[in-house]
């Protein structure tokens, strides 16, 4: 049997998903090791300054954004163990939260909103990990199903072989007898015109 795209697709996707799960697991562990205090805010370091409140931290983030040139990407600090960097592209600002993976957050003009988006991204890592684990299970089930399907006999295999052989013979006849076939077509066309 011929090698099918699925023979390569599923193992590659499974390996990629396993790597994503391993990286997300480390990101989740980092977030759990540096939790936000109840009804509080974990200290954020931006350009060497430590911020203990959300709004001033958001204001500093926006201030740094306004310093960035279009296309510039700059590492700016840390939050809950994650590295923070800002990117300016097409008059939009993006915050990258990085450890093993890079998580992007589009920033708005609201200082508190920027911080809430960042916190939501970090708090959503466990959900992302759960989704990746579900995807891995689905891919493994699809691979198992594909491996069973590929071993099944094609129900019309004999008929296909007969038709393919007949087509080959007809093509050989047409190729060998091309001038007379062309004449026969012209004769039929002339008969229709008359």
């Amino acid at each position: 049997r011929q090698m099918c795209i699925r023979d390569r697709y599923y193992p590659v996707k499974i390996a990629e998903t396993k790597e994503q799960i391993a990286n997300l697991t480390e990101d989740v562990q980092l977030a759990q090791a540096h939790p936000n205090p109840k009804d509080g805010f974990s200290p954020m370091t931006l350009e060497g300054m430590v911020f203990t409140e959300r709004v001033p931290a958001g204001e500093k983030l926006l201030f740094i954004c306004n310093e960035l040139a279009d296309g510039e990407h700059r590492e700016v600090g840390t939050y809950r163990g994650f590295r923070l960097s800002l990117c300016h592209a097409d008059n939009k600002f993006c915050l990258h939260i990085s450890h093993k993976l890079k998580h992007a957050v589009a920033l708005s003009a609201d200082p508190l909103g920027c911080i809430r988006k960042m916190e939501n991204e970090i708090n959503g890592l466990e959900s992302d990990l759960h989704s990746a684990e579900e995807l891995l299970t689905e891919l493994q089930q699809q691979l198992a199903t594909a491996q069973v399907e590929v071993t099944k006999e094609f129900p019309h295999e004999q008929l296909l072989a007969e038709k393919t052989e007949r087509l080959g013979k007809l093509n050989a006849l047409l190729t060998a007898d091309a001038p007379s076939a062309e004449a026969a077509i012209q004769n039929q066309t002339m008969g229709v015109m008359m």
Side-chain angles (χ1 to χ4, degrees):
R1 291 190 181 259
Q2 284 185 325
M3 180 88 164
C4 182
I5 290 174
R6 280 177 278 170
D7 295 335
R8 291 181 298 256
Y9 172 79
Y10 288 113
V12 168
K13 289 301 281 182
I14 287 170
E16 288 172 354
T17 305
K18 284 181 177 180
E19 183 178 352
Q20 182 182 19
I21 288 170
N23 290 332
L24 275 170
T25 298
E26 287 194 41
D27 284 359
V28 166
Q29 289 170 344
L30 181 65
Q32 290 171 343
H34 300 90
N36 242 349
K38 274 200 191 289
D39 300 323
F41 178 67
S42 289
M44 178 186 293
T45 303
L46 295 171
E47 295 187 328
M49 297 172 54
V50 177
F51 294 86
T52 57
E53 295 180 22
R54 286 181 177 88
V55 174
E59 288 170 346
K60 179 64 175 179
L61 268 178
L62 293 175
F63 178 79
I64 297 169
C65 285
N66 290 323
E67 292 179 332
L68 296 177
D70 193 30
E72 186 178 354
H73 185 269
R74 186 190 308 171
E75 188 113 2
V76 295
T78 59
Y79 177 68
R80 292 180 61 186
F82 291 89
R83 293 179 316 280
L84 301 177
S85 58
L86 289 170
C87 177
H88 179 205
D90 300 324
N91 293 322
K92 294 180 183 170
F93 298 101
C94 185
L95 174 68
H96 293 157
I97 305 163
S98 306
H99 178 57
K100 290 304 269 183
L101 295 175
K102 185 183 290 187
H103 310 277
V105 176
L107 297 179
S108 63
D110 176 32
L112 183 58
C114 292
I115 300 301
R116 292 284 186 207
K117 284 181 176 185
M118 181 185 61
E119 289 174 329
N120 289 340
E121 185 66 29
I122 293 172
N123 293 337
L125 291 176
E126 286 186 52
S127 175
D128 293 347
L129 175 59
H130 180 69
S131 296
E133 290 168 339
E134 286 178 348
L135 175 61
L136 178 61
T137 300
E138 286 175 30
L139 288 168
Q140 289 169 332
Q141 289 171 347
Q142 291 170 358
L143 175 61
T145 300
Q147 288 171 333
V148 168
E149 289 297 318
V150 88
T151 62
K152 288 184 180 177
E153 226 14 76
F154 177 54
H156 304 289
E157 195 162 346
Q158 179 63 35
L159 181 61
L160 176 63
E162 291 170 8
K163 299 290 182 183
T164 302
E165 182 182 344
R166 174 84 175 122
L167 180 61
K169 288 179 183 177
L170 288 173
N171 282 337
L173 284 172
L174 286 173
T175 303
D177 204 23
S180 61
E182 200 172 292
I185 293 171
Q186 285 180 351
N187 286 339
Q188 286 180 348
T189 306
M190 294 294 236
V192 172
M193 287 187 191
M194 298 181 161

